[in-house]
Amino acid sequence: MAEARFSVLSEEFDAAPERYFGWLRKHAPVHHEPAVDAYFVSRYRDVRRVLEDHEAFTTETLQQRAEPVMRGPVLAQMTGAEHTAKRKIVVRSFTGPALQDHVRTIRANAAELVTPFLPTGRIDLVNDFGKPFAVQVMLDVLGLDKEDRPRVAAWLAGVGEFITSVGLTDERRRHCLELAGELEAHLVPVIEQRRRHPGADLISTLCTAEFDGVAMTTRDVTALVVNVLVAAVEPADKTLGLLFRHLVDHPEQLAQVRRDPALLSAAVAETLRLTPPVRLVPRLAEHDTELSGTVVLAGATVFCMTGAANRDPEAFTAPDVFDLHRPDLGTARSFTAAAQHLAFGTGLHQCVGAAFARAEIETVAALLLPLLDRVRHSPGSRYRETGLYTRGPVALPLDFTPVHHGVPGHHGVSGHDGVPGQV
Ligand code: 2IO
């Protein structure tokens, strides 16, 4: 394969990026893509270096990539005291007692959305379940009306497309900005109302939280709400689909997880390592910096390839194998700052939603697995993934033994308690 011909923007790469990771790490570890004038970094060590060296590689690129559709600054582009304080507010909303509330919300929404499919013995886990589920959970967490799910999903798709595009056409750009404007117009009156009459939801928390003794402006709250919405929704259906794909394709590991649901954490962590739903993390080179023999010039965009780094044999043994028992996974640390895999990034801006993501996927998998007896790929379905920036199954049609008695213990949309893995 001649380097001159290789492109991460090609159809061949989209069809099976894993096939090129080894070649990239070996022969083009800091691959320059002329069409978008950006570098793609694939070695584990280099990705860690880029994400940990905050002086040399900044998040300023988000001013163009995120701010226009977020309608204000996102957490990841902030620095210093402002970043520390606002990050703390968001972390507090997604850990500890707040997270326990979210787990109840997650379980209730999962039960509601899966119920209609149980008697049929067939579900497309991505399109029938994962996508509506991801949006509905966040509407509940933010205290927004669940009736608005289809509209919010359409607006978020536009925001997500803008953020995760590498080379957006002017026409798509305009379209995405329009959808983002509609989402903002929908949120601003709600935020202003919550400011006057706060409730127990996350929008109210953000409205009443103070930074430097001053409440955040409506613009700042809007941006954080859109930030949280996109970051939680965009990777969720993908992670769930990828987890089930790996388990269905590894029946012996699926059987082990069924027997011992405590293994679900490792299954989710291994899914994130082998197939991270967020595959690129952008940075801006602050000054000329050498990486694996290539000098990255000041002002260049650098994309960290989390998918390629997580399969680097220097970091994980037998890196292309799905093995929830792998000794080098470090499951307990996988959702913390000490994680070995790079699916949540690393450094100052490491994902604030890691604990929430873990709870969400574990809770829904623990609820679904006992209901989906003899789960298997639907006959005739062909597994396919897509996406350069975020990546997941296009669809995941599954067959299972039909259930006629519904979700045990589920009586409508509320009244659930307990902890993940308890089903
Ligand atoms: C939303 C790619 C969906 C984040 C982004 C502007 C900042 C940040 C991420 C993830 C997932 C998105 N970046 N979440 O990679 O908040």
Side-chain angles (χ1 to χ4, degrees):
M1 195 166 1
E3 185 174 349
R5 283 194 49 209
F6 172 81
S7 172
V8 296
L9 307 173
S10 65
E11 273 173 38
E12 291 80 8
F13 186 78
D14 181 63
E18 295 77 13
R19 281 182 36 205
Y20 299 91
F21 287 167
W23 179 84
L24 275 169
R25 283 188 310 256
K26 191 154 191 248
H27 299 290
V30 185
H31 166 77
H32 184 252
E33 198 61 59
V36 288
D37 192 17
Y39 294 89
F40 289 75
V41 176
S42 49
R43 287 184 184 164
Y44 184 88
R45 275 187 53 152
D46 289 338
V47 168
R48 251 193 194 282
R49 159 86 199 283
V50 171
L51 295 177
E52 283 169 1
D53 189 343
H54 306 102
E55 299 263 290
F57 300 97
T58 74
T59 56
E60 254 174 77
T61 171
L62 294 174
Q63 281 164 23
Q64 282 106 52
R65 178 167 286 281
E67 204 171 326
V69 281
M70 295 292 179
R71 305 319 225 208
V74 296
L75 215 46
Q77 79 191 79
M78 297 174 191
T79 55
E82 183 192 14
H83 177 250
T84 310
K86 292 189 178 168
R87 184 180 163 99
K88 203 184 275 172
I89 294 166
V90 177
V91 167
R92 213 184 296 130
S93 308
F94 285 104
T95 52
L99 184 59
Q100 288 313 306
D101 287 344
H102 300 330
V103 166
R104 282 186 278 277
T105 303
I106 290 161
R107 190 173 294 132
N109 283 294
E112 179 198 327
L113 290 168
V114 76
T115 297
F117 295 93
L118 294 178
T120 71
R122 177 168 286 194
I123 191 167
D124 173 349
L125 198 64
V126 171
N127 299 294
D128 291 337
F129 181 84
K131 289 187 180 203
F133 165 77
V135 177
Q136 198 165 300
V137 164
M138 290 317 291
L139 291 178
D140 240 352
V141 166
L142 292 163
L144 295 170
D145 199 337
K146 287 206 248 183
E147 310 253 295
D148 290 322
R149 192 185 81 207
R151 290 201 293 165
V152 174
W155 293 326
L156 284 180
V159 176
E161 179 182 338
F162 188 96
I163 291 168
T164 64
S165 281
V166 180
L168 200 61
T169 64
D170 284 347
E171 199 195 320
R172 290 309 297 172
R173 196 186 151 82
R174 266 196 302 276
H175 179 68
C176 290
L177 287 169
E178 203 175 294
L179 291 172
E182 289 171 25
L183 176 57
E184 179 187 29
H186 179 77
L187 289 174
V188 166
V190 179
I191 293 168
E192 283 169 352
Q193 189 263 341
R194 298 281 160 86
R195 215 187 266 296
R196 291 189 297 271
H197 307 286
D201 57 277
L202 179 56
I203 294 184
S204 300
T205 307
L206 294 174
C207 286
T208 47
E210 288 187 356
F211 167 61
D212 238 1
V214 200
M216 284 187 268
T217 63
T218 296
R219 179 173 181 263
D220 287 350
V221 174
T222 303
L224 281 182
V225 169
V226 181
N227 187 175
V228 162
L229 262 170
V230 177
V233 168
E234 176 77 23
D237 66 284
K238 297 172 177 68
T239 310
L240 184 67
L242 292 162
L243 169 70
F244 272 77
R245 179 238 166 162
H246 293 311
L247 290 177
V248 167
D249 289 348
H250 297 86
E252 66 301 337
Q253 295 184 57
L254 172 59
Q256 288 165 355
V257 171
R258 284 191 187 283
R259 275 198 301 274
D260 180 8
L263 289 175
L264 259 177
S265 295
V268 176
E270 176 66 345
T271 296
L272 292 171
R273 182 199 66 81
L274 186 66
T275 48
V278 181
R279 297 238 168 163
L280 297 179
V281 180
R283 288 293 184 266
L284 194 77
E286 182 68 22
H287 42 74
D288 296 3
T289 308
E290 198 232 283
L291 278 179
S292 283
T294 301
V295 177
V296 170
L297 298 178
T301 295
V302 176
F303 285 107
C304 294
M305 302 180 77
T306 55
N310 277 352
R311 288 173 183 239
D312 191 332
E314 304 235 325
F316 296 98
T317 45
D320 295 319
V321 177
F322 180 86
D323 176 10
L324 64 88
H325 300 293
R326 61 169 55 253
D328 48 10
L329 183 60
T331 303
R333 285 175 285 134
S334 287
F335 304 90
T336 72
Q340 282 299 109
H341 71 78
L342 298 166
F344 292 122
T346 186
L348 276 178
H349 299 289
Q350 192 185 31
C351 179
V352 285
F356 178 81
R358 172 194 198 168
E360 182 174 43
I361 303 302
E362 280 184 31
T363 301
V364 63
L367 181 130
L368 291 178
L369 278 175
L371 296 169
L372 307 182
D373 183 37
R374 294 191 57 236
V375 65
R376 57 208 181 266
H377 291 290
S378 298
S381 65
R382 194 174 65 87
Y383 181 78
R384 199 164 70 81
E385 290 177 4
T386 190
L388 173 65
Y389 201 116
T390 53
R391 185 174 180 87
V394 176
L396 193 68
L398 298 173
D399 280 19
F400 55 92
T401 310
V403 184
H404 296 287
H405 51 72
V407 181
H410 175 62
H411 316 285
V413 294
S414 60
H416 289 267
D417 51 16
V419 292
Q422 198 201 283
V423 179

